[in-house]
Amino acid sequence: MKAAAFACQLDNLISNKSILENLKNELKNLQDQRQMVKQNLSWDSKEYQTQSSWLKKVDEIVGQVNAFLNYNEGKSTCTNFLRRNKVGKQSRKMLLDISQLHEEGQNHLAGITEKDHKDPKSRTDTIQDIMEALKDPRIPTVGVWGLGGVGTTSLAKQVGRQAKEQDLFNEVVVITVTEKPKVEQVQGAIASELGVQFHGETHVQRRNRLRQRIKKEEKILVIIDDIWGELNPQEFDLEEFGVPSSDEHGGCKLLLTSGNLNFIRSLKGAPKAKVFRLEELLEKEAQSLFEKMVGGVAQDPEWLKLEIEILKSCAGSASSIFAMAKALRNKGLDAWKEALVQLKENVSPIKLCCNSLENEELKSLLLLLTIRGRRPINRYSIYIDMWNGLFKNLETADTARNRRDSLISDLKAYGLLVEDGKEYVKIDDFIWHTAYSMAQNDLQASMISREWPPEDLLKGIRFCNINIVNGLQIPEKLQCPNLQHLLISRNNPSIHVPDSFFEETKLLQVLDFVGFDCSELPVSFVSLKNLEALSMYCCNLGDISKVGELTNLRMFGLLGSSIQQLPAQIGLLQKLLFLDLRDTHLQVIPANVLSNLTSLEELYLRNSFCNWENEVSTNVNKNASLKELTNLDHLAYIEDLYVPDPRAWPVELFFGKLKSYTIFIGDKWGGTHDGDHGLKTLKLKLNRRFQSEDGIKKMLESVDVLYLDELNGVQNILNDLDCDGFPHLQSLFIQNNAEIKCITTGSSHDPLDAFPNLESLSLNNLSNLEHICHGHPLTEKSFFKLRVIKVQNCIAMGCLFSKSMIKGLPHLANMEVSECKSIKAIVLVEGAENPFIEFPDMCSLTLRGLPALISFCLSEGSSSTDTTTLFHDKVLCPNLENMVISQVSESTTIWHEEYDVENSFWKLKNVNITECKKLRTVFPVNLSKIFII
């Protein structure tokens, strides 16, 4: 035994009592710190979630340490030296955990000063009253209403989280609505929250399925947040959507939040609600919120006087206070004085915040987005909108995308934009009206739906959103000579755009055409010579050859439109940077169209054209060939390029300059990819062998995500593909192959770092796969970053890992092995040695359908008569939380009866064991010591 290790154990024995006393003292300090953080916790603070998470961690460690101290009370002076050593080691581990939490707590308290207030009392009391009402079985419905800006939506989210944390309900379902909802949309939202999947059912069938699903939960809270406060309560039928009444399911409670009291009191299908009004913030509450958002106020009479006057102008509105704090953060005294002057001149706090934006492009984007209305806005639409002349120096598509993402990030930091799902953002509802009013004045913008504005106003419009609804007559000519940006949509399929409609809009730079049937484009379309961005979304299109005359076009999108053939004239668009053909199911792209788009940087093809011409084809009317893409020197992104016939891919074809791509070769994959489109992703199913100058083989050297199906002549992935160890590969999926025998082979002569950046490995239905790694031990960097491994239906494998390979898997977190009928062990140890086998980061383990499995770890030469125990005391999994064992028929015990490995398996939360026919024992008696903490 080394001297340092001996000294540590001796210290554990000698100072055991003092260590426990120290543990008690440090726990007391942490509890005192917890109280201080909790006192300053505010539900409307941006740090609320991180502080709540910290408090939860503290509660967990307090419970663990108290249990540990109670168990060891009075036993620290006993003569059992082994137990005393173990207690000392566990105490030191807990002291380290407490120290880390204490450091985090110091960070939470760092910004707190003597002027900080506790939670605003009235808001806290309101939440407490709501929680008490939700607990009361006599109250089936709770309502919360308040004027715009007081925070009903934030409160709904807070109450939902708190109800879940306190285990008041098994499920919490949040339905967010803005305008008259469609039954299918609301049903879809409920289904998504509850994990229900629909497959073409009628709305009645969906309603019944949702009703039955909700009734399975003993207690469930359904939150309906009427964000705009404009819903007609009789048009929102809960039972029609699938929410059972309280008479049908007494455990189903409703929480209704709205700025419209009538909605809460008269909602169809809802029992009478107990209503709480969310008042405007009181003076002290407003001051507390403002000072937290602005980052503190100097303790100077002049500053404090200004603060009081500014807050009076906000009239208790949380949104107005937030806006003013963002506008004045890090600003000097003169800026505060000027803000107060403007407030007294009836300039709204929202307008002040918008005008305080750091640059004109931020303000321009915000105002531009208001023209799209109050619904969520896809980032893709913003990408198109940016080519209207307001944003300078957009020379490349990459520049535009980066500028868009940067501006969105800044607007979110100001609280003016909020996320709405992964690809959508929306303007905060409370500021929309003010921002749209600013857009009308500053950008000469207008939204038109039910009636046309006066002719003189129409002629001055530069940015316009026209939604043609029933009753609005579309004019022969749109009299807008100054128009730069037009979004035009309709809700009546019989409405068509007249041929002369665009004759007076020759300055137009961006056109969004939504939902039209156009067998042929209007004749006046060709007059749009200044157009730089054209989006035709969800249109039914025929001949669009006129687009070829718009030679200044940079962005062209047909997302979701129905079109059979891309006209040859599109090849005239030599300035085109961006071509989006997603979800068009396009059948024909004539030869030499793509090759003429010499400026093209981005090409999007999801569910679109895949009829790539084979080079040896003798067809008279040829389609585009893949070789045309090699002429595009600026091409940097290809998304969802699908080549169902591998013969259409020329052997020498190689995309070496692409920054990212998703390419599928072979008829197995379909035309879509659900993963990250910012990576280089390649899916292969080839019916040929690789050749020496194979372009695909060259692409493998830099690929990030690789899917392999049929590959002729490949038995060893690493050696046969010869890709320098796949240095960039992050995810590898291999399936349906009868030739592959191993993934890699170690070498003593020329060791190679194999898969040094691989994080996920999936092997499925590889009937001859025998080993992941075979031969000599791998280098230290090989498989070093692997976190997930899934092996299924690999019937020739006898074991998953060798002992030498385990040393290089310190980060493996998720292991799933199923339906591998020959596997006898997960880890096979070479020779007669019996070392410790540790998976330090493993948190999830699934072993299913392994009829030959004898033990998790097995030495060479062992037989089924030697052991039938799954885990011996040499297997360590200190962080394992979830374990599933099913159809492992040879094991008689899960843990050896003398298993006594410190801190191994002690974090287990979920254990699921089924169909193990010979199993006699799961938890031996001595194992209880492992779970004592």
Side-chain angles (χ1 to χ4, degrees):
M1 180 181 296
K2 293 183 179 180
F6 178 78
C8 182
Q9 290 196 8
L10 185 62
D11 189 42
N12 287 337
L13 295 174
I14 295 173
S15 59
N16 191 254
K17 183 175 181 179
S18 63
I19 289 176
L20 291 177
E21 286 296 324
N22 190 24
L23 185 61
K24 286 182 183 178
N25 294 333
E26 290 301 318
L27 183 66
K28 175 66 167 56
N29 292 337
L30 182 64
Q31 288 175 303
D32 292 340
Q33 189 184 51
R34 177 193 181 280
Q35 186 64 24
M36 292 175 65
V37 173
K38 188 173 182 181
Q39 284 177 349
N40 288 279
L41 184 67
S42 175
W43 70 273
D44 53 1
S45 167
K46 61 183 180 181
E47 292 86 16
Y48 177 84
Q49 285 185 318
T50 56
Q51 291 177 356
S52 295
S53 176
W54 181 84
L55 289 170
K56 189 174 181 180
K57 290 178 184 177
V58 171
D59 289 339
E60 289 176 357
I61 195 68
V62 167
Q64 292 172 8
V65 174
N66 281 331
F68 176 76
L69 291 172
N70 291 337
Y71 179 78
N72 290 286
E73 188 176 4
K75 300 178 183 178
S76 58
T77 57
C78 69
T79 58
N80 186 337
F81 293 104
L82 288 177
R83 199 191 71 77
R84 289 178 62 191
N85 180 51
K86 182 176 180 180
V87 168
K89 290 176 68 176
Q90 290 176 333
S91 298
R92 293 181 188 279
K93 172 67 168 59
M94 290 178 173
L95 282 169
L96 180 61
D97 292 340
I98 289 173
S99 175
Q100 291 174 342
L101 286 170
H102 186 76
E103 185 176 346
E104 291 177 28
Q106 287 296 106
N107 292 334
H108 292 313
L109 292 171
I112 296 174
T113 67
E114 292 181 358
K115 284 294 295 178
D116 283 321
H117 300 280
K118 299 180 181 179
D119 289 348
K121 189 170 185 294
S122 67
R123 194 60 56 100
T124 302
D125 288 346
T126 301
I127 293 176
Q128 185 61 41
D129 291 343
I130 292 169
M131 300 306 296
E132 290 300 320
L134 291 175
K135 295 176 186 177
D136 193 333
R138 299 168 298 177
I139 302 174
T141 304
V142 176
V144 181
W145 80 281
L147 299 176
V150 298
T152 53
T153 294
S154 298
L155 183 137
K157 294 177 181 178
Q158 166 66 9
V159 169
R161 286 195 298 266
Q162 204 163 312
K164 193 79 173 183
E165 291 168 2
Q166 295 180 11
D167 292 325
L168 298 183
F169 301 93
N170 306 105
E171 289 283 354
V172 176
V173 176
V174 181
I175 306 171
T176 301
V177 286
T178 52
E179 53 192 340
K180 182 179 179 180
K182 294 180 180 179
V183 174
E184 294 80 4
Q185 290 177 337
V186 177
Q187 288 177 335
I190 299 173
S192 177
E193 295 265 347
L194 294 174
V196 177
Q197 293 185 341
F198 295 135
H199 302 285
E201 297 96 328
T202 66
H203 87 271
V204 174
Q205 291 170 325
R206 291 195 296 268
R207 176 196 67 192
N208 293 338
R209 281 191 62 192
L210 290 175
R211 182 179 282 120
Q212 293 305 315
R213 171 64 181 86
I214 289 174
K215 288 166 69 174
K216 287 182 180 180
E217 301 295 341
E218 181 183 357
K219 293 182 178 180
I220 185 169
L221 176 63
V222 178
I223 300 175
I224 301 170
D225 183 20
D226 172 22
I227 292 183
W228 293 354
E230 298 174 3
L231 286 176
N232 182 338
Q234 295 305 305
E235 292 179 348
F236 197 94
D237 190 341
L238 287 173
E239 294 190 18
E240 189 67 16
F241 296 141
V243 179
S245 66
S246 58
D247 293 334
E248 185 179 355
H249 180 25
C252 180
K253 282 210 171 190
L254 299 176
L255 174 62
L256 312 177
T257 61
S258 177
N260 178 6
L261 184 58
N262 184 51
F263 175 79
I264 295 173
R265 288 179 170 171
S266 308
L267 182 62
K268 191 174 182 180
K272 184 177 180 180
K274 180 177 179 60
V275 181
F276 298 91
R277 180 177 179 180
L278 194 60
E279 302 282 354
E280 293 81 2
L281 294 174
L282 302 178
E283 182 179 338
K284 288 186 177 180
E285 298 171 341
Q287 186 177 1
S288 174
L289 175 61
F290 180 79
E291 290 182 0
K292 286 177 182 177
M293 293 296 101
V294 84
V297 177
Q299 303 304 302
D300 178 273
E302 190 171 7
W303 282 89
L304 293 174
K305 182 179 179 181
L306 282 170
E307 177 187 3
I308 292 170
E309 291 297 316
I310 288 170
L311 289 175
K312 282 182 180 178
S313 299
C314 293
S317 164
S319 294
S320 294
I321 293 168
F322 185 88
M324 287 306 305
K326 287 294 184 181
L328 297 177
R329 187 179 177 88
N330 299 324
K331 297 292 177 65
L333 190 64
D334 290 341
W336 284 51
K337 290 178 179 179
E338 176 59 27
L340 183 58
V341 169
Q342 293 189 49
L343 288 171
K344 289 182 176 180
E345 292 175 352
N346 294 321
V347 177
S348 75
I350 304 299
K351 187 172 183 178
L352 268 174
C353 183
C354 294
N355 286 332
S356 73
L357 293 173
E358 296 171 0
N359 60 61
E360 280 301 311
E361 286 197 346
L362 273 176
K363 182 178 176 182
S364 295
L365 181 59
L366 176 68
L367 302 187
L368 192 62
L369 295 183
T370 65
I371 304 168
R372 284 190 169 268
R374 292 189 282 177
R375 298 183 184 87
I377 305 163
N378 194 299
R379 287 172 179 261
Y380 163 81
S381 301
I382 303 173
Y383 196 21
I384 297 291
D385 289 351
M386 292 183 66
W387 297 84
N388 56 23
L390 292 177
F391 306 91
K392 306 303 181 183
N393 302 317
L394 299 181
E395 297 301 326
T396 68
D398 217 16
T399 302
R401 183 194 298 102
N402 293 337
R403 186 88 57 84
R404 174 201 65 184
D405 293 343
S406 175
L407 293 174
I408 287 175
S409 178
D410 289 344
L411 289 174
K412 284 166 55 183
Y414 272 91
L416 301 172
L417 276 188
V418 293
E419 293 280 359
D420 195 283
K422 184 178 179 181
E423 292 297 326
Y424 288 82
V425 294
K426 66 189 296 291
I427 295 176
D428 184 273
D429 289 291
F430 184 66
I431 74 159
W432 182 85
H433 287 286
T434 301
Y436 176 57
S437 177
M438 293 176 65
Q440 288 177 300
N441 294 322
D442 296 0
L443 299 182
Q444 290 79 54
S446 182
M447 296 176 65
I448 301 170
S449 60
R450 299 190 181 277
E451 62 179 359
W452 293 96
E455 185 175 338
D456 57 338
L457 179 60
L458 199 61
K459 287 183 177 181
I461 290 176
R462 294 169 54 212
F463 300 86
C464 190
N465 179 351
I466 302 175
N467 179 24
I468 303 170
V469 299
N470 292 335
L472 183 69
Q473 296 296 319
I474 188 166
E476 287 296 316
K477 291 183 182 180
L478 183 61
Q479 300 289 345
C480 294
N482 295 306
L483 194 62
Q484 294 174 231
H485 186 154
L486 173 63
L487 168 61
I488 181 168
S489 58
R490 59 160 197 180
N491 68 353
N492 186 338
S494 65
I495 294 177
H496 297 277
V497 177
D499 274 339
S500 56
F501 185 76
F502 294 107
E503 285 185 2
E504 300 296 326
T505 60
K506 295 179 181 180
L507 297 182
L508 200 61
Q509 291 178 275
V510 174
L511 173 59
D512 283 299
F513 220 50
V514 181
F516 283 88
D517 285 339
C518 295
S519 58
E520 189 172 355
L521 295 176
V523 173
S524 58
F525 207 81
V526 298
S527 65
L528 303 177
K529 301 298 185 181
N530 290 303
L531 202 66
E532 294 197 19
L534 171 62
S535 172
M536 307 177 81
Y537 176 69
C538 287
C539 294
N540 189 11
L541 301 174
D543 179 11
I544 61 169
S545 58
K546 291 184 179 68
V547 174
E549 299 189 41
L550 310 179
T551 53
N552 281 310
L553 210 58
R554 303 286 199 92
M555 314 287 284
F556 182 33
L558 296 173
L559 176 62
S561 290
S562 174
I563 184 171
Q564 290 292 306
Q565 178 170 340
L566 203 64
Q569 289 83 348
I570 297 300
L572 300 174
L573 304 176
Q574 295 193 4
K575 293 183 179 180
L576 197 67
L577 304 175
F578 171 95
L579 179 59
D580 187 356
L581 304 175
R582 286 178 295 172
D583 303 328
T584 59
H585 302 283
L586 190 67
Q587 297 299 309
V588 178
I589 299 180
N592 301 319
V593 170
L594 295 177
S595 60
N596 283 323
L597 303 178
T598 52
S599 298
L600 194 67
E601 297 179 11
E602 302 184 11
L603 178 61
Y604 297 83
L605 293 164
R606 180 186 70 203
N607 293 325
S608 183
F609 180 77
C610 63
N611 299 322
W612 301 99
E613 200 71 54
N614 191 331
E615 283 194 310
V616 299
S617 171
T618 58
N619 292 339
V620 177
N621 298 315
K622 284 190 175 182
N623 254 322
S625 70
L626 289 164
K627 202 164 186 177
E628 291 184 43
L629 300 180
T630 61
N631 296 331
L632 307 180
D633 293 336
H634 301 285
L635 191 62
Y637 300 92
I638 297 180
E639 183 177 307
D640 296 341
L641 170 62
Y642 178 35
V643 188
D645 183 0
R647 293 174 300 177
W649 189 284
V651 171
E652 72 282 2
L653 183 61
F654 168 56
F655 291 112
K657 297 180 180 179
L658 295 180
K659 294 180 180 180
S660 75
Y661 57 76
T662 44
I663 298 175
F664 323 129
I665 304 175
D667 60 3
K668 180 72 179 179
W669 309 110
T672 61
H673 176 61
D674 294 331
D676 187 347
H677 283 91
L679 301 173
K680 295 180 178 179
T681 300
L682 187 59
K683 300 185 179 184
L684 295 178
K685 180 186 178 185
L686 298 179
N687 52 9
R688 63 173 173 83
R689 294 175 180 267
F690 283 116
Q691 301 177 27
S692 58
E693 298 300 320
D694 207 312
I696 295 176
K697 193 172 180 180
K698 291 180 182 178
M699 293 176 69
L700 293 178
E701 296 177 7
S702 61
V703 73
D704 298 313
V705 180
L706 179 60
Y707 291 74
L708 299 175
D709 200 279
E710 295 179 15
L711 278 180
N712 293 344
V714 176
Q715 294 186 354
N716 183 314
I717 296 296
L718 192 72
N719 293 10
D720 293 347
L721 296 182
D722 188 22
C723 294
D724 294 329
F726 289 92
H728 302 282
L729 193 63
Q730 299 175 25
S731 300
L732 175 61
F733 304 83
I734 310 177
Q735 65 185 33
N736 305 328
N737 194 295
E739 294 189 47
I740 295 173
K741 291 187 176 181
C742 69
I743 306 303
T744 182
T745 301
S747 172
S748 60
H749 304 295
D750 187 19
L752 182 69
D753 292 335
F755 307 101
N757 286 296
L758 192 69
E759 297 179 8
S760 177
L761 175 62
S762 176
L763 309 171
N764 182 22
N765 196 26
L766 309 180
S767 56
N768 280 306
L769 182 69
E770 298 175 359
H771 309 280
I772 291 178
C773 175
H774 185 56
H776 291 276
L778 299 172
T779 65
E780 289 185 3
K781 293 183 179 180
S782 297
F783 291 100
F784 183 76
K785 293 184 179 181
L786 190 66
R787 292 191 57 79
V788 178
I789 183 167
K790 295 184 179 181
V791 182
Q792 184 176 4
N793 288 319
C794 296
I795 60 177
M797 291 189 77
C799 73
L800 197 62
F801 305 116
S802 63
K803 170 63 175 66
S804 59
M805 188 176 177
I806 292 300
K807 293 180 181 179
L809 300 176
H811 304 298
L812 189 63
N814 187 315
M815 183 193 301
E816 182 177 331
V817 187
S818 59
E819 310 305 328
C820 298
K821 67 180 183 180
S822 300
I823 280 186
K824 294 183 179 180
I826 302 302
V827 181
L828 184 65
V829 179
E830 301 90 344
E833 60 175 320
N834 189 23
F836 281 102
I837 304 296
E838 183 175 8
F839 292 92
D841 281 4
M842 180 90 74
C843 59
S844 178
L845 172 65
T846 298
L847 304 175
R848 181 184 288 113
L850 309 177
L853 186 67
I854 298 172
S855 181
F856 190 86
C857 178
L858 203 61
S859 298
E860 284 183 336
S862 300
S863 68
S864 59
T865 58
D866 296 333
T867 177
T868 55
T869 298
L870 194 59
F871 298 113
H872 290 275
D873 59 3
K874 299 296 183 180
V875 178
L876 285 75
C877 297
N879 286 296
L880 190 66
E881 296 181 358
N882 302 295
M883 184 169 70
V884 176
I885 300 174
S886 178
Q887 299 173 333
V888 179
S889 52
E890 288 299 316
S891 292
T892 58
T893 58
I894 302 300
W895 284 277
H896 192 274
E897 61 182 8
E898 296 181 1
Y899 190 95
D900 189 21
V901 181
E902 184 178 353
N903 292 336
S904 182
F905 295 102
W906 72 293
K907 289 188 177 181
L908 267 177
K909 296 178 181 178
N910 302 298
V911 179
N912 188 339
I913 302 175
T914 59
E915 299 183 69
C916 297
K917 297 179 181 179
K918 296 182 180 181
L919 189 63
R920 298 196 306 267
T921 305
V922 176
F923 299 105
V925 174
N926 68 307
L927 201 65
S928 60
K929 290 186 293 183
I930 294 176
F931 302 114
I932 192 68
I933 301 178

